[in-house]
Amino acid sequence: MAKVYVFDHPLIQHKLTYIRDKNTGTKEFRELVDEVASLMAFEITRDLPLEEVEIETPVSVSKSNVLAGKKLGIIPILRAGLGMVEGMLKLIPAAKVGHVGLYRDPETLQPVEYYVKLPSDVEERDFIVVDPMLATGGSAVEAINSLKKRGAKNIKFMCLIASPEGVEVVKDAHPDVDIYIAALDEKLNEKGYIVPGLGDAGDRLYGTK
Ligand code: PRP
Ligand code: URA
């Protein structure tokens, strides 16, 4: 069964408060999302495998650890997921980035796929699908379906804010995919927005409305 991890680090929670605040403007919102994405990347990579190498310090020969070179892929769900990519790449610069383009039909709330481009060695990579919001769960489920259909085997899902309903939908559809979130909010409203949430993540990142 999928596990759900809430990253309640004080720095993440502090920055998330200003991300939620409706008085935070586009520039600051974008910077904060970037910073939180970096902090979450630090937490989500805790289980990366290490290997021992021999080095010479100025004092002696020593054995020490380096990353074993696991192949990683970051998959932002367009558009809002893009706001988290640079922050993650600051910590894991060798990761490749694929894209899944989805928008949520405002009437049906169902995800509509319009673009998919993944690294060519999809079967060998471990993927982190990123999107600031997990609301009804439709977009996350569809993005993960899209990856699996193309051969991805090991997938994590990471977002800033999730609704309890969305978490259940993703867990049911993809019990093999662990979910990493900065906050689990109260509920969805009648328009499928997360309460209290942060509003429309794409609009706040890019200044559209
Ligand atoms: C938002 C958000 C998620 C999706 C979450 O994107 O970034 O992708 O909604 O909702 P769900 O869990 O109910 O599917 P949106 O469809 O507004 O597109 P955008 O990123 O292009 O603004
Ligand atoms: N998409 C968003 O950007 N915000 C929500 O609250 C729900 C879906």
Side-chain angles (χ1 to χ4, degrees), residues 30-110:
R30 205 181 285 147
E31 288 166 358
L32 287 163
V33 169
D34 179 76
E35 288 167 15
V36 170
S38 291
L39 293 167
M40 293 185 81
F42 181 76
E43 297 279 7
I44 204 171
T45 49
R46 266 180 194 283
D47 61 353
L48 282 182
L50 295 168
E51 63 187 10
E52 205 173 61
V53 294
E54 194 173 275
I55 54 160
E56 249 182 276
T57 76
V59 180
S60 73
V61 172
S62 162
K63 290 197 190 315
S64 196
N65 290 323
V66 292
L67 291 171
K70 196 176 190 93
K71 290 183 167 185
L72 291 179
I74 301 170
I75 309 291
I77 302 179
L78 305 181
R79 174 185 54 138
L82 280 179
M84 299 174 72
V85 173
E86 290 304 319
M88 296 185 73
L89 287 174
K90 278 179 202 147
L91 295 203
I92 33 178
K96 290 202 172 167
V97 181
H99 297 87
V100 176
L102 293 174
Y103 69 88
R104 205 167 70 143
D105 184 293
E107 302 296 321
T108 65
L109 301 184
Q110 292 306 303

Side-chain angles (χ1 to χ4, degrees), residues 79-80 104 109 131-136 139 161 187-189 191-204:
R79 174 185 54 138
R104 205 167 70 143
L109 301 184
D131 192 322
M133 309 304 277
L134 172 59
T136 64
S139 302
I161 301 179
K187 60 176 184 184
L188 287 179
N189 69 13
K191 290 186 179 147
Y193 275 82
I194 300 176
V195 181
L198 54 73
D200 187 304
D203 282 347
R204 293 200 61 195

